[in-house]
Amino acid sequence: MTDKPLFTRLTQVEPSEAKGALISFVFVFMLMASYTIMKPVRDALPSDWGDVSLAMQWTYTFIFSTIAVVIYNLCASLVSLRRLVPGVFAFFATSFIAIYLAYKTGQVEVTLLGKIFYVWTSVFNLFQISVFWSFISQHYNKSESKRVFGFINTGASAGAIAGPLLILQLAEHINAANILLITGIVLLLTLPLIHLLNRIFDQKEQNKQTPPKLSPNPFSGFMEFITHRRLLGIAAFIFLFTGISAFLYVAQTDLLRDYSRAERKELLGSVELATNTLTILLGIFATNRLARRFGMATTLSLIPFLVALLLLLLSANPAVVFVLALQVVRRAGNYAITRPAREILFTAVDREARFKTKPIIDVMVYRGGDVVWIWVLALLGDAWLKLGVTPTLCIGAAVAVLWGIVGIFLGKTHDAADAEDGPSKQPS
């Protein structure tokens, strides 16, 4: 052990894997920077809308997410993966530049453009990360993924810190519209990284059989989704996760209504900084070791059960500072532990599921869950039961327990398949 490089001892990434892991780190760093550059502006908008208006925006997000996934699956059936992956990021870069031009030319009313910006940014947030992990996970087996994915994922948190810091440095020279232009440029800068990673992975897999092309059937991803129990389990896991996110998001939004927009941005910016700093520390020192030592069942269920406990404690004193603190714990735990573990699950599925079904789960199911839970909370809070924050948080704790139970099922299924396949088996 002492003969290994310091980088390997810290991250568990083997020297032969370091180059690909580091470039992947930079890749996801730039993706998350491109999103978090816009995120404080996006998150400051909903507190001016009210619960029903916010629910409508989440509904529109789900509709456009569904349309985007269907178009993506069609493209995946017609275009090679070498063109599909960079094409996705080039498309989003172009779309943000187009919104920038619409604002500058005054072609769209400002309030409407703000809602378009909110919806499209929400679609982009999930889609970009789903495609990134589809691209990365095809090149790692189960054993490798437990070592490498935690480190790669810390790049997302580093990018989430760097994005807002960049905006702070340039605050005197840019406005909200120029942020869209910067986002588009950062996304375009990821295209050379994709080309470089393709070359590295080609060298790694030069002795392997050329993988088959994806099915020309644009609905094959949907068929795999509804016929595979493991994929349905991952979808249920994400659906319950969105429930917890919605409970805390609504509580956060309600409690921040008494603050000005500038104060909201400052508080949310502090949450982002604390979340991503904690995520990096966990990602480097804890995530890989947790998955390898305690197994996937513990890794997937740890954060859900911790959140359930904290929600019960929070229900006794739902002050804004405690809600924001719980947001830090939940999001950091998700980014550093739950999310990489979830991506490890996709190393055990075929390429069809990885490229076509994964966006259905990551984007459609996620945003569908957002819609279901936000309308449930809007109706229970505004229209029917007039529930206060405390009972709402108690219901959220029950949802978190179910989330953890599904995590145990998925983890045990994956660990059992891992033991049966052996550590050296490559992705199917």
Side-chain angles (χ1 to χ4, degrees):
M1 175 67 76
T2 56
D3 295 334
K4 291 185 176 182
L6 177 62
F7 177 74
T8 299
R9 296 202 301 271
L10 288 176
T11 65
Q12 307 293 297
V13 176
E14 295 295 332
S16 61
E17 302 163 337
K19 188 174 181 180
L22 286 169
I23 296 176
S24 299
F25 176 99
V26 174
F27 186 3
V28 75
F29 170 91
M30 295 180 69
L31 291 180
M32 282 305 297
S34 70
Y35 169 65
T36 53
I37 284 170
M38 304 180 292
K39 193 174 186 299
V41 178
R42 170 188 174 273
D43 286 349
L45 294 173
S47 293
D48 293 332
W49 295 341
D51 287 349
V52 174
S53 180
L54 177 60
M56 285 301 303
Q57 300 313 308
W58 285 26
T59 303
Y60 292 139
T61 298
F62 169 67
I63 292 171
F64 283 101
S65 296
T66 301
I67 294 171
V69 168
V70 171
I71 294 174
Y72 171 83
N73 268 261
L74 177 61
C75 292
S77 300
L78 301 174
V79 179
S80 69
L81 296 179
R82 290 293 178 112
R83 295 182 178 180
L84 177 69
V85 175
V88 168
F89 298 113
F91 169 75
F92 276 112
T94 303
S95 69
F96 286 118
I97 293 173
I99 296 175
Y100 163 78
L101 293 174
Y103 178 83
K104 282 294 187 180
T105 58
Q107 296 297 315
V108 183
E109 192 267 328
V110 173
T111 302
L112 175 60
L113 192 62
K115 293 184 176 181
I116 292 172
F117 166 74
Y118 182 89
V119 169
W120 192 237
T121 304
S122 301
V123 174
F124 163 72
N125 175 33
L126 295 182
F127 216 105
Q128 58 150 345
I129 296 299
S130 180
V131 173
F132 167 81
W133 281 111
S134 295
F135 173 64
I136 295 298
S137 64
Q138 66 177 321
H139 300 293
Y140 292 95
N141 62 31
K142 298 175 185 178
S143 178
E144 291 169 341
S145 64
K146 289 181 180 179
R147 290 196 305 271
V148 177
F149 281 13
F151 169 74
I152 292 176
N153 196 65
T154 60
S157 298
I161 293 174
L165 288 178
L166 174 64
I167 296 305
L168 287 175
Q169 293 296 320
L170 301 175
E172 296 182 358
H173 308 288
I174 62 173
N175 54 30
N178 292 335
I179 286 175
L180 291 168
L181 186 60
I182 295 173
T183 295
I185 293 172
V186 172
L187 285 175
L188 291 176
L189 292 176
T190 65
L191 302 185
L193 295 179
I194 298 173
H195 175 71
L196 185 56
L197 281 171
N198 277 327
R199 292 179 58 186
I200 292 172
F201 291 138
D202 285 346
Q203 294 173 0
K204 172 187 174 185
E205 300 160 4
Q206 60 184 345
N207 296 324
K208 296 181 186 178
Q209 184 179 1
T210 302
K213 293 182 178 180
L214 298 181
S215 167
N217 181 359
F219 300 105
S220 59
F222 291 90
M223 294 302 297
E224 288 223 19
F225 172 59
I226 64 177
T227 56
H228 285 70
R229 186 175 65 170
R230 181 179 297 186
L231 295 173
L232 288 171
I234 297 174
F237 187 79
I238 290 179
F239 179 80
L240 293 168
F241 165 73
T242 63
I244 300 303
S245 300
F247 278 101
L248 285 173
Y249 192 84
V250 168
Q252 170 185 294
T253 301
D254 288 342
L255 292 170
L256 287 178
R257 283 204 173 96
D258 294 334
Y259 294 80
S260 68
R261 181 172 292 188
E263 289 172 329
R264 292 177 216 158
K265 289 173 65 175
E266 183 177 351
L267 285 170
L268 294 174
S270 299
V271 168
E272 290 295 321
L273 179 61
T275 295
N276 291 296
T277 302
L278 181 58
T279 301
I280 291 173
L281 295 174
L282 290 173
I284 293 177
F285 298 108
T287 305
N288 297 338
R289 293 167 174 83
L290 182 66
R292 298 177 70 191
R293 177 171 296 184
F294 297 103
M296 292 294 290
T298 299
T299 306
L300 285 166
S301 63
L302 176 63
I303 298 304
F305 289 139
L306 176 61
V307 169
L309 175 61
L310 293 177
L311 279 169
L312 289 175
L313 295 175
L314 179 64
S315 65
N317 186 13
V320 64
V321 63
F322 297 129
V323 170
L324 295 178
L326 179 51
Q327 283 282 46
V328 171
V329 173
R330 178 194 67 84
R331 293 178 58 201
N334 175 60
Y335 294 151
I337 298 174
T338 309
R339 180 61 189 260
R342 205 173 79 207
E343 299 303 338
I344 291 172
L345 297 177
F346 282 99
T347 62
V349 301
D350 60 24
R351 288 164 61 85
E352 201 76 18
R354 191 175 294 119
F355 276 94
K356 288 188 174 182
T357 310
K358 190 176 189 301
I360 295 172
I361 296 173
D362 287 347
V363 182
M364 282 183 57
V365 172
Y366 194 113
R367 291 310 181 197
D370 283 344
V371 172
V372 170
W373 291 109
I374 198 67
W375 277 111
V376 166
L377 288 167
L379 292 173
L380 292 179
D382 289 347
W384 292 348
L385 299 182
K386 307 290 185 182
L387 290 180
V389 175
T390 296
T392 299
L393 293 174
C394 290
I395 296 172
V399 174
V401 170
L402 291 176
W403 179 29
I405 292 172
V406 174
I408 291 176
F409 165 77
L410 288 171
K412 287 187 174 181
T413 302
H414 185 87
D415 287 338
D418 198 3
E420 181 179 343
D421 292 343
S424 62
K425 183 174 180 178
Q426 296 297 329
S428 56

